[in-house]
Amino acid sequence: GLLITKINKHLGWKSEEVDKWASSALYNLGYYASCVHANMHVLHYLMTAALDESSKEFDAMNEWASFYATNIPNKFGQVSDLLIRKQPELTDLLVQGNDGTVKDTYALLTGSSGFGANGDKLRLILTKLLNVWTNDPTNYIANMLQVPKDKLVKAGILTEFMKHHDLVPDYAREIAEALKNTDEDKLVKA
């Protein structure tokens, strides 16, 4: 409302121009947020699979990790089925017909009825982004958001999320201590 009106007057833009730019900004933001969302499912899958696998010889940890990881592969599969799919080859279309293209057509990020991105190129970009996120686990939020924490605080961004985030180190120490007391040797191996 009022802010847009002030910007219009200041810049001398017509209402249609503002609508066009606002539409474009929202479209791009929706696309970017959907890409980040897909990548978060991939990261979640990798982390839970690693926890499950690394705790195989530590029953107390693996019982929890295995239970926790039961639904995660489904979400990872949904990224492939519903968000990012490789465009079908022409020969596949000829052999499978339209039935084989339904998922491709409606994939949110790569489907022709979605954002229409090139799946192969998008995967490369998201892989690089995933590598940035996981480069320094001690600074995950800054790596993920590409904004230092002090700037997030100053701008009032994600304030509620950060309250939860700030609880993680103490909780992680408590869990690690409990697992250490259960079986220190197996915890070290895990």
Side-chain angles (χ1 to χ4, degrees):
L2 185 59
L3 179 61
I4 297 295
T5 304
K6 286 182 178 181
I7 292 171
N8 281 354
K9 287 181 181 177
H10 178 71
L11 297 174
W13 286 355
K14 295 177 185 168
S15 178
E16 302 82 39
E17 290 175 313
V18 173
D19 288 347
K20 176 183 163 187
W21 289 105
S23 245
S24 178
L26 289 173
Y27 181 89
N28 288 331
L29 184 59
Y31 174 73
Y32 177 76
S34 297
C35 288
V36 169
H37 170 239
N39 233 23
M40 289 175 90
H41 279 297
V42 173
L43 177 62
H44 193 200
Y45 171 75
L46 293 172
M47 291 172 62
T48 55
L51 178 62
D52 186 31
E53 186 60 33
S54 68
S55 65
K56 291 262 189 240
E57 294 180 24
F58 186 7
D59 293 340
M61 182 187 262
N62 189 253
E63 184 178 339
W64 174 82
S66 295
F67 176 77
Y68 181 68
T70 55
N71 187 41
I72 306 306
N74 293 338
K75 293 292 183 188
F76 179 72
Q78 288 174 351
V79 169
S80 295
D81 287 343
L82 304 174
L83 301 175
I84 303 170
R85 294 191 47 87
K86 185 176 182 176
Q87 279 73 14
E89 299 293 327
L90 180 57
T91 53
D92 292 337
L93 292 176
L94 294 173
V95 173
Q96 296 175 0
N98 196 35
D99 291 340
T101 65
V102 170
K103 287 182 182 175
D104 174 65
T105 301
Y106 296 106
L108 178 65
L109 295 170
T110 58
S112 57
S113 293
F115 286 103
N118 179 301
D120 293 333
K121 290 179 181 177
L122 182 59
R123 273 189 208 84
L124 290 175
I125 293 167
L126 294 180
T127 298
K128 289 178 184 177
L129 181 62
L130 191 60
N131 288 333
V132 167
W133 288 357
T134 57
N135 188 37
D136 178 9
T138 63
N139 207 12
Y140 174 74
I141 296 297
N143 288 340
M144 183 180 172
L145 299 175
Q146 297 293 294
V147 178
K149 187 176 178 182
D150 61 324
K151 289 187 178 185
L152 290 174
V153 170
K154 185 177 179 182
I157 297 172
L158 296 176
T159 54
E160 197 59 37
F161 170 80
M162 293 310 290
K163 290 176 189 175
H164 297 279
H165 173 269
D166 292 342
L167 297 173
V168 171
D170 289 338
Y171 178 73
R173 276 190 286 281
E174 288 177 27
I175 292 293
E177 188 63 31
L179 289 169
K180 179 180 172 185
N181 291 337
T182 302
D183 192 326
E184 186 172 357
D185 291 336
K186 289 184 178 178
L187 176 65
V188 170
K189 287 180 185 176

